Amino acid sequence: MIHTLNALVDLVDRDLGETIDVAAFARRHGTTEYHLRRMFSALARMPLSEYVRRRRMTLAGAELARGAPNLLDVAVQHGYGSAETFGRAFRSVHGTAPADVRRHGGPLSTQPMLRFRLSVEGSTPMDVTITHRPELVLVGHATQVPLLHEGVNPQIQEHIASMPPQEHTRLKELGDTDPTGILAVTAEVQPDAPEGSLLTYLHGVALATTTPVPEDLDVIRADAGSWAVFGSRGPFPETLQQLWAATATDWFPSNPWRLRPGPSIVRYLELTETSATCELWLPVEQS
């Protein structure tokens, strides 16, 4: 995976004016577009699409600072069909117009070329179990919340706090299959979604496929398949978020598994205001 990510970065710089066929690239390297985009986003801390835009605008800015005579030629060279669309993309990265950079040489906000490396320090212990589950029926109360990589998500807190205590008790009694207990489910996340984009969060439980679903509850279904279950214990939510990042930096690059499309699940075993013992369930398939 590290080799594949670096090959992808090389492709971005090599084919500046071409639309990258990420799905075809992933197939040639024996992986999937979904997994490739998820790993890139997790490790680079930005979506692939954002890196491509920033990198192309960095190189375009360098050309303009050297006095490139024709703005449209620069726009076309970097994959834009008009000076107007190129100008909007340029300003979104550099905060200034292309013509101003050509006249004054800057200011420019540059994106260095990424290079991925695998850390072999083993600094994050990984307590993981691979389990195989039939289709999961995840039911509860769902809402749309923004994606946040660090810290407590206040909209999730508000969503949970809005439920009366008896509803939590009802959900616990309703759940009848693994993973048991109250679950925090995130779904409908694009594989390289930027921070702040909306996702579906469901506070609920897992039901057997034969169990009737109450009409007042929302439903998220997860296909049958394998799950990597990671144990987490410590300050909340920092420890859980660090574990999520470690799956991308340490576990996936050194194990024969990759992410498959589906929701991610956090199963809470013990939760206080400052700490949590929980499990992170990620849908996986053999790579």
Side-chain angles (χ1 to χ4, degrees):
M1 179 51 61
I2 297 299
H3 169 77
T4 299
L5 289 169
N6 285 327
L8 180 58
V9 166
D10 292 338
L11 181 63
V12 170
D13 268 47
R14 188 167 65 247
D15 295 342
L16 291 175
E18 302 296 326
T19 299
I20 298 175
D21 189 338
V22 181
F25 176 89
R27 287 194 299 271
R28 290 197 302 271
H29 287 263
T31 187
T32 65
E33 180 181 6
Y34 182 87
H35 183 69
L36 185 62
R37 287 184 180 273
R38 286 289 294 269
M39 289 299 98
F40 187 99
S41 180
L43 294 172
R45 297 300 182 94
M46 73 177 83
L48 174 61
S49 57
E50 175 71 8
Y51 173 73
V52 170
R53 185 172 63 90
R54 287 184 169 275
R55 187 64 186 150
R56 288 179 175 176
M57 291 303 99
T58 293
L59 298 175
E63 291 183 34
L64 292 170
R66 290 195 299 265
N70 190 302
L71 286 179
L72 183 58
D73 287 346
V74 176
V76 171
Q77 180 182 350
H78 292 278
Y80 291 84
S82 70
E84 289 76 17
T85 56
F86 172 73
R88 287 194 295 270
F90 193 91
R91 279 189 289 271
S92 71
V93 172
H94 298 295
T96 190
D100 292 336
V101 170
R102 187 171 57 177
R103 283 193 297 267
H104 306 297
L108 294 170
S109 176
T110 60
Q111 171 62 58
M113 185 177 181
L114 290 178
R115 187 55 56 186
F116 295 92
R117 294 183 175 86
L118 175 63
S119 171
V120 295
E121 296 178 356
S123 58
T124 304
M126 307 296 284
D127 177 12
V128 60
T129 300
I130 302 296
T131 185
H132 309 281
R133 301 292 302 144
E135 179 188 18
L136 291 180
V137 182
L138 306 166
V139 305
H141 298 281
T143 187
Q144 294 283 297
V145 300
L147 173 64
L148 295 180
H149 294 309
E150 296 182 357
V152 174
N153 190 317
Q155 293 195 26
I156 290 179
Q157 284 188 315
E158 292 173 6
H159 177 61
I160 296 173
S162 68
M163 302 177 204
Q166 58 268 29
E167 184 60 15
H168 295 275
T169 302
R170 174 200 175 203
L171 289 173
K172 289 180 181 178
E173 294 174 348
L174 184 63
D176 62 0
T177 191
D178 285 332
T180 59
I182 292 293
L183 309 175
V185 182
T186 55
E188 299 177 1
V189 184
Q190 295 301 311
D192 58 354
E195 190 168 31
S197 57
L198 291 179
L199 57 86
T200 297
Y201 173 84
L202 180 137
H203 183 81
V205 294
L207 298 186
T209 55
T210 56
T211 301
V213 178
E215 292 184 358
D216 63 327
L217 296 182
D218 300 303
V219 180
I220 294 174
R221 295 182 182 272
D223 292 338
S226 299
W227 296 78
V229 183
F230 300 88
S232 173
R233 175 181 296 152
F236 180 81
E238 297 85 357
T239 302
L240 179 60
Q241 291 168 342
Q242 290 167 6
L243 173 63
W244 227 126
T247 65
T249 58
D250 297 345
W251 194 79
F252 280 110
S254 55
N255 285 276
W257 297 91
R258 64 190 179 201
L259 284 166
R260 59 181 172 91
S264 61
I265 302 171
V266 175
R267 175 192 177 212
Y268 291 106
L269 305 176
E270 183 179 349
L271 179 64
T272 69
E273 292 184 358
T274 58
S275 66
T277 300
C278 55
E279 294 174 345
L280 172 63
W281 288 56
L282 298 180
V284 298
E285 61 188 6
Q286 290 190 344
S287 59

